[in-house]
Amino acid sequence: TVSVAEGIRQNRDNQKKEFIEHFFSTMQFVMAGNDTEGLRYGTIETREKYYLTWKESSDIENPLDRALAQLCRKARFLELIHDFIVFDAGVKKLCRHNQYFGVRAAQPYVKQREGGIIWHTQGSGKSLVMVWLAKWIRENATDPRVLIVTDRTELDEQIEKVFKGV
């Protein structure tokens, strides 16, 4: 009976010092949802406009049930918590669906030492995809090495800042 936006605001209010801030200190995912709007997720101190929506095809019609089945399936949820949460300069960040599926799609090619391309648009989270993939390579490859090549100084500076921040 409450909008997702209202649920997000309530979660954010509960994280304030005068309410139950300490309860949220160890949380990885904070979610708000309903049967008509579906589910949006963030983490502690995520501003409302940065709450995310998981997008994946499914036969489940109810938007909330669909999102919960996709995002909170035991194996996936544990994988998201273990492999797809980072602190970027002290700010906890979760992956978007496109980042998760991009990294997962790249992994078999990396295992087979094949090349590949992940096409990104501006603002789609390229730097964090590189961080998550580099982390996976370091944990799953023998004698791992990661080389990042960019075509502009500003991209060099951006990716260096993100990798150092993480």
Side-chain angles (χ1 to χ4, degrees):
T1 61
V2 176
S3 73
V4 171
E6 180 59 33
I8 292 169
R9 286 191 289 274
Q10 184 177 5
N11 274 327
R12 287 187 44 78
D13 284 346
N14 287 339
Q15 294 175 54
K16 292 180 179 173
K17 207 176 260 308
E18 57 269 17
F19 292 105
I20 54 173
E21 178 187 39
H22 60 281
F23 176 77
F24 285 86
S25 64
T26 60
M27 285 201 168
Q28 304 304 315
F29 281 79
V30 179
M31 302 178 184
N34 65 34
D35 284 331
T36 56
E37 296 175 88
L39 182 80
R40 291 184 54 209
Y41 66 97
T43 190
I44 57 172
E45 298 181 5
T46 300
R47 295 192 347 228
E48 182 178 346
K49 71 179 186 174
Y50 294 116
Y51 267 68
L52 305 167
T53 303
W54 192 265
K55 297 177 184 174
E56 182 179 2
S57 61
S58 172
D59 294 334
I60 302 172
E61 289 187 30
N62 179 291
L64 179 59
D65 291 344
R66 179 176 51 244
L68 288 170
Q70 293 169 342
L71 193 61
C72 297
R73 191 178 69 236
K74 184 178 179 180
R76 178 173 290 164
F77 195 58
L78 291 174
E79 178 185 23
L80 289 170
I81 290 171
H82 185 267
D83 298 331
F84 289 92
I85 297 176
V86 294
F87 284 88
D88 183 2
V91 177
K92 189 185 289 188
K93 294 187 176 180
L94 307 175
C95 70
R96 300 179 208 162
H97 66 282
N98 61 305
Q99 294 167 316
Y100 171 80
F101 290 117
V103 170
R104 294 289 288 139
Q107 290 170 350
Y109 292 95
V110 171
K111 278 183 182 176
Q112 298 167 19
R113 296 183 172 272
E114 295 179 7
I117 294 174
I118 299 176
W119 187 266
H120 285 278
T121 58
Q122 187 174 358
S124 62
K126 296 178 285 296
S127 298
L128 288 176
V129 166
M130 286 188 263
V131 165
W132 282 310
L133 189 54
K135 180 179 178 262
W136 181 86
I137 291 168
R138 290 188 63 202
E139 293 172 356
N140 292 279
T142 305
D143 193 26
R145 302 204 190 286
V146 176
L147 172 66
I148 299 172
V149 179
T150 65
D151 62 351
R152 294 193 305 276
T153 302
E154 64 194 51
L155 291 176
D156 277 342
E157 293 168 355
Q158 175 188 335
I159 194 66
E160 181 181 9
K161 180 182 174 187
V162 170
F163 267 77
K164 283 183 176 178
V166 172

